[in-house]
Structures are given as structure tokens and as C-alpha cells.
Amino acid sequence: MTTLLRMPGEPGALTLPALLLRNAEDHGARPALSWRAPDGGRHTLSWEAARRRIGELAAGFRALGVRRGEIVLLMMGNRPEHWLGDLALVHLGAVPVTVYGTAAPGQIAHVVRHSRARLAVLEGPRERARWEPLLDDPAARLERLVVVEPADGPPAAGHPAEGRCESFAAVAARGAAAYDPGAFEAAWRQGDAGDTLTVVYTSGTTGDPKGVVVSHRHVLLNAVALDGVVELPDHAAHLSYLPFAHIAERMLGIYLPVFRAAHVHLCADPAEIAPLARELRPAQFFGVPRVWEKLAAAVRAALAELPAEHRAAVAAAGETARAHVACRERGGRPPAGLEVRTAADGEIEVRGRTVTAGYLRADGTVEPAASVDGWFRTGDIGRIDADGFLWVTDRKKEMIVTSTGKNVSPALVESALKEHPLIGQALVHGDGRSCLVALVVLDPELAPAWAARHGIEGSLPELARHPAVRAEVERGVAAANEGLNRTEQVKRFSLLGEEWRPETGELTPSLKLCRRVIRHKCGQILERM
């Protein structure tokens, strides 16, 4: 829990800019933001310097005509221009909204049209090529693009972006020249805790992405609740590598660091995550399930190479760690900041002051997300155990109902399958059918290592066709079935050698299975099974 920080007011009445001012006044010399520059060196801004840079960028965006309350779209990686630009827009009273870098053109078009944004800030030529056609889209209001890494030379004459595209460096330079401390302070002080801080668009698992409205109050009350139950040292470091389009990284990589006056280390290159984590040894490290699965697979591969006595020592240490965590988890009850219950059908519902106001409509109004008595249906299926812990087991829309009327959680079965080291990804299918079948994807890291140890060579697709590899996967499926009831057991499976990825559409930008895409692409395989 944070112990050293002064709160300049009641959290439910504060805005993020008020806390940034607190950081500059009370902790101005402490590091706020670090990143690796193109020259290979690491650069750092203090909280005082970061706030000054944010003020200059705010002046640059103001010169572009950005107005209070309007949405500005961002598509960049975890780089300083993204972090600083986001907070600069917040200080103007604008609403920064990050779009997943892996979003398809149709998804980008939907967000541009739905948000009615006039300005987008992009990383480089690759992003600009996907956005330029929207400048002439009659259903969109997009007027201008700002690009951090511009292509060589301005757009050619007659090009849609001619006169409507400029560099981020030019905006920053214009802002530095026009920066007025008085105007900067006056702009953010017009804001209110109930103002929209951001809109987070869902990844579109079951349809068009929906814009979830998040206010300053939502974020800061969540920050207080998290701060009360998560034990972290003051000014703790955070390694930011997940997309800022994801609400988790927005909280952990932008909002909580401002709340805690913490130190954010931006990591734009996924290949640098592991070495940077080893170097920084952060007190916290957040990952979505696929990240942990890949880390666990890498650890299992390394452990498999250790002598037997070393493996036994590591296993014993793991048991000790799990027992320690279990004791601490049951040491007390956290305060009620949020109410949680399960409905008759198992859907998890929540109610509290931190729940979103609703979904952004295309006309700018907000469609309430909760019922009249304040309960928000999350769409997740779960249970609350005897100790009061909430177990999330699946998404309601993804539950399989067999032809015999039995409900099956595909995520439960898929998790059981992925316990075998050769299985990196799995999809279970069988809605309306008498039994379950599965698509199983070889792990791209562990499968080649296993094959090499057994004298087998070949690419991942070739390994998927090798009888010895299939026999080992069959043993993994059989082991998974032993822990499942009869309805949940997988009767047949197909082994695939191409990993599912966001770029090819099988995963959402937040690395969840896009089931309808996989079922469409592999429809014939599923039908044959």
C-alpha cells in the first residue's frame, strides 16, 4: 500500500492532472518514464520534466484545434510519444483512445466512424497506410494524421493525405514554442472527476468493438481499491509492454503510476521483455494468459534440462511458494469497494462506484451498461467458493450446449489440454453436437525442443504430421480427459502446426481466441471430426 504520497483531495473527486501536479511538486526529481532510444541508450524523464513535456505537447495539440471533450485516436506502441501524448490530451480535456496496432482495416474504420474523431496520432508509415483512406471516407470525420516516424518526404500531390499529415516532432516543436504555463493550468482545472478520461474499445470477439466509457472517478477509485490490497513499495517500477488499448495496461502503465508516482519503463520490442525484466526486477509484472503460458512453457523447457536433483529442489520450492501465498490470501478480508455476485445461470455481476457509465453511442451519448439497480452483467461465467474467492471459468457467449442439453465450459477443457507441454493452443468445438472435438496447435517453442531430443527434425507443420509427435499429443489429450467428466472429454482432435496469431485473425488483439474466425477457417476439419 502507498504510504508516502499526499492526496490533494478525496479520490472520488480528483482528476488525473491533479495527481500529476502533486507528483511534480512533491516528487519532481524522481524518475517517471524511461525508454530505450534508437541509439540503444536508455532515456529517463523525472516527474517534473515529464509534466513540462506534457504541457508543451498539450499546447501543440491545442494548436491543431483539439477541443475539450473530443476523442483523439492513437495507434502507437509503448513509446514515450504515446504515454506523454495521452496525458497531454487529458490535460486539454480531450479523450485519448488507443486502437490496437493489430486491428484490421475494417475495425479501424468502425472505431474512426463510431468515435467521430477528427485527429489520429500514428506510429509510422505502416499505420499511416491503413488510415489514409479514411481521410476521404464520407462516413468518418477524420481530418488530420500526426505521424511519429514519417515516411521520406511529404505525401505526393493529389494524395488523400496531402496537407493533412504532419510529423509528431513538428507538433512537439510548435507546442514548445507556444507553451503558456497559465493556459496549461487553466485548461485542466476546468475538468471534473466525472469527465470521460478514455474510451476503451473491446477487441470485438463477438461483433463490432464497443466503446466502454471510463471516467477519472472510475480510474482513481479503482486505484485506491488496488492500492489497499496490493502490497507494493512506494514509487515501484512497472514494465509496460502490453498495448495501451487494453484497459489493464492503461491502469498499470499510465493511471496507477500517476496515482503512485511510480516509475514506468516502456518496452516497445517484445523481444526485450525478458532481458529487461531480469535487469529491472520489477516488484510487479502483469501478463495476459497467453504471456504466462509462453513464459511457463519456456521455464518448463529449461527445467527439463536440469539434473534430477535440481528439478526436485525447484519443485519443492514451488510447493513452498504456493503454500505461502495461500496463507497470505486467507489472512484477512479486503474492504468492499465493489459488490460481486453470480446470477442463477452462473453469470458474474458487479455493482459499485467504479463500474463504467456505459457504452459510447455513435451520436456521443452514453448507453447505460448496468441495470436500474446498478448491477452490471459481465458476460463471464464463474462461481464464488466457500472462502469468498471468485473463480472465472468462461465467457457466457462461449459456453457449449451439447445435443443432450449439457453445458460445457470450453475454456476449462482447453486449459486441461494445454497442460501438456507440446500443446500451445487449443479450441474445443461441439455446440449442439453429441460429443466434443478439438483443434490442437503445437507449441512453437517446446515442440521443436521435444522433437530434437527424440531425433525428429522438421518445421512445425511437418512435426504436426509426424506419427511420434501425434502419439505424444494423443497421450496428452488422454491425460486431460482423465481429469474431465464424460461430457467434457474430447473424443477426437486434429493437430495443427501453424500458431494462431492476431495478424492472421485467429486471436483478438488482446490474445484471446477469436472462435468464429477459427471455426470458419477450419470448418471442414471440424465437420470431418
Side-chain angles (χ1 to χ4, degrees):
M1 177 184 291
T2 298
T3 58
L4 297 178
L5 303 188
R6 170 179 62 90
M7 292 299 291
E10 195 276 317
L14 288 174
T15 62
L16 215 62
L19 289 175
L20 191 68
L21 174 61
R22 184 272 317 266
N23 293 351
E25 291 178 340
D26 296 1
H27 312 283
R30 294 199 65 88
L33 189 68
S34 294
W35 66 95
R36 190 177 300 282
D39 60 10
R42 290 197 68 78
H43 292 212
T44 297
L45 286 178
S46 67
W47 279 107
E48 183 177 20
R51 189 170 188 268
R52 170 66 187 234
R53 190 76 63 85
I54 288 166
E56 293 173 354
L57 284 173
F61 284 126
R62 186 200 304 275
L64 287 177
V66 174
R67 299 190 294 264
R68 172 170 294 278
E70 76 168 307
I71 287 177
V72 176
L73 299 176
L74 312 171
M75 182 183 273
M76 293 177 278
N78 297 50
R79 56 189 303 155
E81 295 86 354
H82 198 161
W83 198 90
L84 296 166
D86 191 287
L87 288 172
L89 292 165
V90 169
H91 277 72
L92 285 178
V95 181
V97 175
T98 301
V99 182
Y100 281 106
T102 55
Q107 292 173 315
I108 296 172
H110 170 77
V111 173
V112 169
R113 294 163 184 160
H114 183 265
S115 67
R116 299 171 294 122
R118 297 185 301 118
L119 174 68
V121 185
L122 312 176
E123 179 144 339
R126 179 175 176 269
E127 290 75 19
R128 195 179 95 177
R130 284 183 283 166
W131 288 69
E132 282 176 344
L134 293 167
L135 289 169
D136 288 336
D137 186 336
R141 297 179 61 192
L142 193 64
E143 299 173 358
R144 181 174 293 273
L145 304 177
V146 172
V147 185
V148 177
E149 298 176 357
D152 296 334
H159 191 277
E162 182 186 11
R164 302 159 76 182
C165 182
E166 62 182 298
S167 72
F168 190 94
V171 174
R174 192 181 307 130
Y179 175 63
D180 179 350
F184 175 64
E185 300 295 340
W188 74 259
R189 291 182 186 277
Q190 295 178 39
D192 180 81
D195 291 347
T196 300
L197 174 61
T198 189
V199 174
V200 178
Y201 278 89
T202 61
S203 56
T205 308
T206 57
D208 286 334
K210 292 190 286 189
V212 181
V213 177
V214 181
S215 70
H216 291 261
R217 181 176 293 117
H218 290 139
V219 161
L220 294 181
L221 289 177
N222 265 297
V224 170
L226 286 170
D227 200 54
V229 297
V230 179
E231 295 184 9
L232 287 174
D234 292 297
H235 312 294
H238 173 68
L239 179 55
S240 172
Y241 68 100
L242 290 171
F244 285 126
H246 198 294
I247 185 57
E249 191 59 75
R250 280 202 155 263
M251 280 298 301
L252 295 172
I254 302 179
Y255 305 143
L256 274 172
V258 172
F259 177 79
R260 291 174 168 154
H263 185 185
V264 178
H265 294 265
L266 297 174
C267 182
D269 183 1
E272 291 188 2
I273 295 171
L276 192 56
R278 285 195 294 268
E279 175 190 340
L280 300 175
R281 300 182 68 85
Q284 63 171 349
F285 182 86
F286 178 82
V288 294
R290 184 58 183 152
V291 169
W292 293 115
E293 289 168 1
K294 292 181 78 68
L295 286 174
V299 170
R300 285 195 295 266
L303 291 177
E305 302 299 323
L306 294 178
E309 63 272 18
H310 291 178
R311 293 200 302 271
V314 171
E319 290 300 323
T320 301
R322 280 187 285 273
H324 173 74
V325 170
C327 289
R328 295 188 64 183
E329 284 179 339
R330 288 159 177 77
R333 295 181 61 85
L338 188 73
E339 295 179 82
V340 182
R341 72 182 187 186
T342 55
D345 61 357
E347 184 173 5
I348 300 167
E349 299 179 338
V350 296
R351 179 170 68 179
R353 295 174 68 193
T354 62
V355 175
T356 178
Y359 298 112
L360 185 71
R361 295 189 178 105
D363 62 1
T365 60
V366 176
E367 177 186 355
S371 62
V372 292
D373 55 353
W375 287 101
F376 173 71
R377 300 178 68 87
T378 65
D380 291 317
I381 296 293
R383 61 184 176 86
I384 300 174
D385 66 17
D387 295 315
F389 290 100
L390 175 67
W391 296 71
V392 181
T393 57
D394 217 323
R395 290 289 293 169
K396 185 176 180 180
K397 291 182 178 179
E398 294 173 357
M399 291 293 287
I400 292 173
V401 182
T402 67
S403 60
T404 58
K406 300 290 186 180
N407 288 343
V408 177
S409 164
L412 174 69
V413 182
E414 289 156 3
S415 295
L417 292 170
K418 289 187 290 183
E419 288 182 8
H420 192 282
L422 290 191
I423 300 176
Q425 296 169 315
L427 177 136
V428 174
H429 178 71
D431 198 50
R433 306 300 179 94
S434 60
C435 65
L436 300 185
V437 298
L439 298 172
V440 174
V441 182
L442 286 178
D443 188 285
E445 295 169 357
L446 291 188
W450 182 92
R453 288 198 302 270
H454 291 78
I456 303 171
E457 297 181 352
S459 64
L460 215 60
E462 289 170 338
L463 293 181
R465 295 190 293 269
H466 197 283
V469 176
R470 180 174 178 86
E472 180 62 23
V473 172
E474 283 180 350
R475 285 189 281 273
V477 174
N481 281 339
E482 288 180 3
L484 300 169
N485 65 44
R486 185 172 181 180
T487 304
E488 296 166 339
Q489 292 175 352
V490 173
K491 298 300 185 291
R492 288 177 291 278
F493 72 92
S494 287
L495 185 57
L496 309 180
E498 292 290 342
E499 188 179 27
W500 296 328
R501 304 188 306 275
E503 294 82 2
T504 49
E506 299 93 355
L507 299 184
T508 69
S510 57
L511 304 184
K512 293 178 288 190
L513 291 179
C514 195
R515 297 178 183 275
R516 69 181 188 280
V517 172
I518 298 174
R519 286 194 292 261
H520 175 72
K521 287 187 173 182
C522 302
Q524 292 184 350
I525 299 175
L526 291 169
E527 287 301 317
R528 283 199 300 269
M529 288 194 291

